């Protein structure tokens, strides 16, 4: 008698992307959009942000440093935030 066993394992990879859009407004008042950002890598902003709107299906961690370093702020999926003095410069999803 022969028995076959098939095992499938789904592991998250860095190639997965958040679905949706992530909007941020820079200190100059100009809005920017990141569409379906990848989970994992650090994404630097082209200027510090004063507010964000995370309309993706994944939480995002904001950082004051350009290379995802410094003080952090977590923004859950489908949530927006604005700040008085906090100025994020980069974001990581997932």
């Amino acid at each position: 008698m022969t028995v076959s066993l098939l095992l499938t394992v789904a592991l998250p990879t860095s190639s997965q992307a958040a679905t949706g859009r992530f909007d941020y407004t820079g200190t100059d008042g100009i809005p920017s959009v990141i569409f379906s950002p990848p989970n994992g890598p650090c994404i630097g902003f082209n200027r510090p942000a004063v507010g964000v709107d995370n309309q993706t299906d994944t939480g995002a961690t904001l950082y004051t440093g350009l290379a995802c370093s410094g003080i952090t702020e977590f923004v859950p999926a489908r949530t927006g935030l604005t700040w008085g003095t906090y100025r994020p410069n980069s974001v990581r999803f997932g």
Side-chain angles (χ1 to χ4, degrees):
M1 179 163 102
T2 304
V3 177
S4 296
L5 177 65
L6 177 62
L7 177 63
T8 304
V9 177
L11 297 174
T13 65
S14 61
S15 63
Q16 293 176 329
T19 301
R21 60 187 280 157
F22 180 85
D23 297 88
Y24 69 95
T25 303
T27 53
D28 56 6
I30 297 174
S32 295
V33 179
I34 303 169
F35 291 99
S36 297
N39 286 329
C42 181
I43 301 169
F45 298 156
N46 52 9
R47 65 199 164 288
V50 295
V52 300
D53 187 16
N54 181 13
Q55 291 304 309
T56 71
D57 60 356
T58 304
T61 303
L62 300 167
Y63 299 84
T64 54
L66 286 172
C68 290
S69 63
I71 300 168
T72 63
E73 175 88 29
F74 183 74
V75 183
R78 315 255 183 258
T79 303
L81 294 174
T82 58
W83 304 275
T85 58
Y86 181 75
R87 299 287 183 258
N89 282 287
S90 56
V91 62
R92 179 174 284 140
F93 292 86

